[in-house]
Amino acid sequence: MEEIIFGIGITALAGALATVAGAAEDVESDIGSQGDPNSQVQLAPQMGYIHRIFNKAIAGEPPAYGLWVALGAGLAWAFMAMQINPILAIVLGSALAVFVQGVYATTAYLGRTASLAKFGQPVYIDILKSMTTVTMAHAFVAIFATVAMCHLIISALGHPFPLPLLGLVWGIALGAAGSATGNPFYGKERQYQEQKFGAGVPISASGNIVRYAEAGQRNSLDNGFFSAKLGGPASGICFGLIVFFELWRTVVFEEFNIWGPIIVGVFVILVFAIIDRYIEVWARKNFGPYTAPEEASS
Amino acid sequence: MSVKIEVGAGGIPHNQILIYGLVGSVILIYLTYLNTYMQAPYFAFFGGLAAVVALIWGTDTIKHLCSYGLGTGVPSAGMIALGSGVIAALFGATTGIFAPIVTVIIAAIIGAVAGLMANAVVRMDIPVMVVSLIELAIVGAITVLGLAAMACGTFEFLGMITGQISILGFTITSYETSLIGGSIIAVIFMLGAIAIQHSFNACLGPGEQQDRTLMLAAECGFLSMIVVAIMSFAFIDRYAAIITLVISIIGWLYTYAKYIELSKRDAYAWLDAQPILEPKGGA
């Protein structure tokens, strides 16, 4: 019994770390226009909309975060093998992984923007300087929290995988959670405010992203503020719940039966599928497809 | 049948890069065998250089393959390359001195099967698919073998599965602290997979230039070398790891500076804190 209570405590802690990681990951990727909002940012100059949005495309989010977290975990593992204290090892590993992330981000922005020279999109060096550092800071939080979580899972819950492999698995999961949950907030609610709500993105509006702010011109830091409000917390809850339920079912139900966690896992998925379906139907009924206003207001 | 999109015409022909890449990287991997002769891992950095050469070649192959309208398929090409490559590299490593040659042959077979499946079963019908996937699998395999040889000083399997751990002053060998037992091979896999696809993914567009893309490929290779060199402190002699680290940092600094210079050359304008330049005639 005591072991289960200890396990649940670790599970809650891991879930909390995962929530922080998810939130930071989504803000980082939205500032860099990574993931699905990227296609429109990439397209905008080709349609004549020159912009000051950061555009760092390093694969999709899941493979990119698979690398950052696996790298952070691998370096931390190597430092621990050199008899360095685990906390220091995880901090150093994450910092070096963030260095790699920052270098990749700068080369991605320079490469893509230089290749769009034909459409008159200049390279804005101030964007590179101010936004790369912000994405690096967020990436550090995401990587550190995830590697720390993996270390907890191994050292406190006795997971048999080595740290780098667990880092790879959870890094891909982190990227997938941020990409699936957070990006729609940014892509559809922020980039396309020029379109009417619910109108979708017709081909004629492709690339017509929001480039000007209430005052002055918008850059990706403004998108960071927006993401930190909605998309980030949503991604955080998503990844936190994934980690929590994943560990909770094993910690609690493995005692009773070896098949217990698997049955509970299937049950949890079913419950979430029913909730998702209910929310979708409710939203469709209440907000519906876009229709023209019935009467012109004054 | 997909339509071929021309990207950045001109530059060095692909076949020339292929030959230099294949021969160069195999020779460089074999140079790490000097470690066994000298009984000291001071030549481990040749493995990393082999990976850099292979990545340059692989980037040109991806550019070739993805010019058939595979915009979002660029990262996937990197994944399949390293996925096929890691199997070939691990199998090849068990064959001792013949490891690099066997790795290349096995990788070619895996790549051919993957290419035939993609064209005949998935029906992607891209003319260069089979050849490109063979090349990519070989590149992936050499990258994994090269970086692994750099981390633990040898490309032989036994060296990859034995690590040392010191407990209370006694040094004992253990599987848990080895390259494969500690899953550092998973980190190498991801490093290679992102590095191989990043250059073309980052530089694609109508203004893509071969020299800039290939310079970025070399930069990605040296950057991967830096972190593998840091991890190699856990496996090999401290001085050997320092040599590897210094060589990778010098290589990275040079290629990174060169890449920024080339980007400056190709960019429409290079502005600092300037407003949006609306195109003439309006959007």
Side-chain angles (χ1 to χ4, degrees):
Chain A
M1 194 63 204
E2 214 163 87
E3 204 171 281
I4 292 183
I5 292 170
F6 175 74
I8 289 176
I10 297 295
T11 302
L13 196 55
L17 280 170
T19 308
V20 175
E25 191 277 347
D26 184 58
V27 178
E28 188 270 342
S29 72
D30 283 357
I31 291 175
S33 317
Q34 208 176 346
D36 61 284
N38 179 266
S39 58
Q40 294 297 327
V41 175
Q42 172 74 9
L43 189 63
Q46 307 188 26
M47 308 301 284
Y49 303 106
I50 306 301
H51 60 76
R52 276 170 53 86
I53 305 284
F54 194 28
N55 174 9
K56 63 158 189 79
I58 311 158
E61 279 174 62
Y65 266 86
L67 172 61
W68 313 147
V69 178
L71 188 55
L75 288 161
W77 180 92
F79 287 130
M80 282 187 237
M82 293 175 225
Q83 316 288 334
I84 294 178
N85 176 306
I87 294 178
L88 189 60
I90 294 172
V91 171
L92 284 176
S94 307
L96 283 164
V98 163
F99 164 73
V100 174
Q101 183 263 357
V103 172
Y104 268 105
T106 55
T107 54
Y109 176 73
L110 286 176
R112 288 229 160 167
T113 316
S115 289
L116 288 171
K118 198 186 254 181
F119 305 104
Q121 171 72 41
V123 170
Y124 290 106
I125 277 301
D126 58 312
I127 295 274
L128 200 58
K129 285 186 221 161
S130 56
M131 266 148 248
T132 309
T133 41
V134 176
T135 61
M136 283 169 79
H138 283 89
F140 178 81
V141 175
I143 297 168
F144 175 78
T146 314
V147 176
M149 177 194 97
C150 294
H151 183 65
L152 264 185
I153 294 174
I154 292 169
S155 58
L157 296 182
H159 199 285
F161 279 14
L163 188 60
L165 191 58
L166 207 56
L168 174 65
V169 173
W170 282 118
I172 291 175
L174 169 65
S179 180
T181 316
N183 285 358
F185 282 95
Y186 165 55
K188 292 168 190 76
E189 307 298 327
R190 183 71 170 180
Q191 264 186 329
Y192 273 98
Q193 280 182 338
E194 312 248 28
Q195 305 306 121
K196 279 182 176 139
F197 180 75
V201 183
I203 293 176
S204 60
S206 271
N208 186 12
I209 54 173
V210 178
R211 302 173 298 143
Y212 290 95
E214 293 78 359
Q217 294 166 351
R218 185 172 283 176
N219 63 33
S220 288
L221 292 185
D222 302 312
N223 294 337
F225 281 121
F226 180 80
S227 294
K229 190 170 148 194
L230 294 170
S235 311
I237 289 176
C238 171
F239 189 54
L241 282 178
I242 291 171
V243 171
F244 180 80
F245 278 115
E246 162 62 25
L247 298 180
W248 171 79
R249 67 191 174 105
T250 314
V251 167
V252 176
F253 295 98
E254 210 174 29
E255 290 285 304
F256 304 115
N257 189 326
I258 198 78
W259 287 93
I262 295 167
I263 295 163
V264 174
V266 172
F267 181 71
V268 167
I269 291 173
L270 283 178
V271 168
F272 271 91
I274 291 166
I275 294 174
D276 291 348
R277 179 70 192 153
Y278 177 77
I279 294 177
E280 192 193 334
V281 170
W282 180 84
R284 270 185 201 284
K285 214 191 291 172
N286 280 282
F287 303 117
Y290 177 74
T291 48
E294 280 168 15
E295 53 188 61
S297 56
S298 65
Chain B
M1 169 88 199
S2 318
V3 186
K4 189 169 182 350
I5 306 164
E6 275 305 329
V7 282
I12 310 164
H14 178 65
N15 287 342
Q16 204 172 329
I17 294 180
L18 189 162
I19 291 166
Y20 283 127
L22 181 61
V23 177
S25 52
V26 170
I27 290 175
L28 282 166
I29 282 205
Y30 264 116
L31 283 176
T32 60
Y33 204 71
L34 285 170
N35 287 339
T36 315
Y37 267 110
M38 306 285 285
Q39 296 294 319
Y42 296 122
F43 300 95
F45 66 87
F46 281 117
L49 296 181
V52 173
V53 173
L55 284 172
I56 294 174
W57 162 31
T59 298
D60 208 60
T61 308
I62 286 197
K63 180 176 154 181
H64 229 64
L65 174 64
C66 293
S67 59
Y68 286 85
L70 296 178
T72 50
V74 179
S76 333
M79 287 295 154
I80 197 167
L82 268 284
S84 327
V86 77
I87 300 169
L90 286 182
F91 181 83
T94 55
T95 52
I97 178 108
F98 303 107
I101 305 283
V102 174
T103 300
V104 167
I105 295 168
I106 299 288
I109 295 169
I110 296 175
V113 172
L116 288 172
M117 296 263 280
N119 259 359
V121 182
V122 190
R123 299 207 61 81
M124 291 173 86
D125 287 338
I126 294 173
V128 294
M129 181 61 103
V130 180
V131 181
S132 294
L133 282 188
I134 291 174
E135 286 179 38
L136 283 176
I138 296 174
V139 168
I142 292 176
T143 308
V144 170
L145 197 65
L147 289 177
M150 184 178 139
C152 59
T154 172
F155 53 68
E156 288 176 68
F157 197 66
L158 196 64
M160 293 185 196
I161 56 165
T162 44
Q164 258 122 35
I165 188 166
S166 61
I167 298 168
L168 303 172
F170 293 100
T171 306
I172 51 168
T173 52
S174 101
Y175 170 70
E176 268 80 41
T177 53
S178 66
L179 184 92
I180 290 176
S183 274
I184 293 298
I185 198 92
V187 183
I188 290 177
F189 164 78
M190 279 315 286
L191 276 173
I194 298 289
I196 197 176
Q197 58 80 31
H198 176 68
S199 325
F200 183 64
N201 192 42
C203 293
L204 56 80
E208 195 265 348
Q209 293 290 329
Q210 194 197 36
D211 55 350
R212 180 158 54 93
T213 310
L214 296 188
M215 188 56 76
L216 181 54
E219 190 267 346
C220 290
F222 280 114
L223 186 63
S224 309
M225 263 180 87
I226 292 179
V227 278
V228 175
I230 294 170
M231 286 189 277
S232 76
F233 276 94
F235 302 112
I236 57 173
D237 182 70
R238 185 171 300 162
Y239 295 105
I242 289 173
I243 293 175
T244 319
L245 186 59
V246 168
I247 288 174
S248 33
I249 288 176
I250 292 171
W252 175 74
L253 282 174
Y254 174 76
T255 46
Y256 191 56
K258 209 77 185 150
Y259 171 73
I260 291 180
E261 209 172 279
L262 290 173
S263 300
K264 217 170 198 170
R265 181 198 69 189
D266 293 340
Y268 174 74
W270 193 264
L271 305 174
D272 195 358
Q274 297 287 315
I276 295 173
L277 289 179
E278 290 291 1
K280 290 183 190 79

